[in-house]
Amino acid sequence: MAANEQHYVLPRPHFDKPIKILIVVAPYYKDIADNLVAGAQAEIEAVDGTWELVEMPGALEVPTAIGIADRRSNFDGYVALGCVIRGETTHYETVCNDSSRALQLLGLQGLCVGNGILTVENREQAEARADVDGQNKGGGAAAAALHLVAMARKWASQSKGIGFKPAGQDIQIASSNDGSTTT
């Protein structure tokens, strides 16, 4: 990225009810992970949200941890953090592709997930991206999760209807001539 290149950042969402986010991090590169977590925590706290932190052995376990947490807890959203640096084998592609794909599938199932798992060529790239005063990808992943939570809450009470039932219309299963309903 060019030193003077600027990117647009969406304004932070506002919440009228408390928000609780789970940060799941793979601290394989501990210093990089710590910076990612610091950025995510600051972003969540900036909207008066609360967070919990869980560590996993590697990036491949992060989506599974989020899936388990969603089934067994009450988080509004999730932040996936970690770092994968290219090595000498194809393991890099497997970890990058599979962790990203799993997080995307969780999102498509309706979970509000911000993906901050760095996939880089070298340590210098990772450090630049994790730096809270630099690219702050941890904060960016938290912001993504927060925006998804805000959108999900905005549309939570809306219904598209089911089958031939127009939205907002009551369902009448069956009725007799006298107006009483039967099933």
Side-chain angles (χ1 to χ4, degrees):
M1 179 167 98
N4 60 356
E5 189 172 343
Q6 297 291 317
H7 295 109
Y8 177 73
V9 177
L10 292 173
R12 285 186 179 111
H14 298 280
F15 298 96
D16 56 358
K17 293 184 286 185
I19 184 162
K20 183 177 172 184
I21 303 292
L22 178 65
I23 301 169
V24 182
V25 63
Y28 190 80
Y29 301 100
K30 183 84 167 104
D31 58 327
I32 293 167
D34 288 347
N35 279 341
L36 291 168
V37 168
Q41 291 169 338
E43 190 65 26
I44 295 163
E45 290 170 359
V47 298
D48 294 324
T50 60
W51 51 266
E52 287 186 33
L53 178 68
V54 176
E55 292 183 343
M56 287 292 112
L60 287 175
E61 292 78 31
V62 170
T64 302
I66 290 172
I68 291 169
D70 189 64
R71 288 187 298 278
R72 299 184 182 189
S73 194
N74 63 342
F75 294 99
D76 297 298
Y78 305 90
V79 180
L81 301 176
C83 178
V84 185
I85 299 176
R86 185 180 298 278
E88 298 175 356
T89 68
T90 58
H91 185 65
Y92 172 83
E93 281 85 9
T94 298
V95 175
C96 294
N97 293 335
D98 290 355
S99 63
S100 178
R101 183 177 301 112
L103 291 171
Q104 186 67 37
L105 289 172
L106 290 170
L108 292 172
Q109 292 172 14
L111 278 67
C112 300
V113 181
N115 183 355
I117 297 178
L118 304 179
T119 56
V120 296
E121 298 294 322
N122 54 55
R123 176 170 266 284
E124 293 76 29
Q125 290 176 349
E127 290 170 350
R129 286 160 177 75
D131 184 5
V132 177
D133 296 320
Q135 294 183 33
N136 192 17
K137 296 298 184 179
L146 293 169
H147 280 281
L148 289 167
V149 170
M151 185 186 74
R153 284 185 177 183
K154 175 182 176 183
W155 294 335
S157 63
Q158 298 178 8
S159 172
K160 286 186 168 187
I162 301 169
F164 296 104
K165 175 185 144 301
Q169 187 178 36
D170 291 335
I171 297 173
Q172 184 174 6
I173 297 175
S175 69
S176 63
N177 290 338
D178 64 3
S180 63
T181 58
T182 58
T183 57

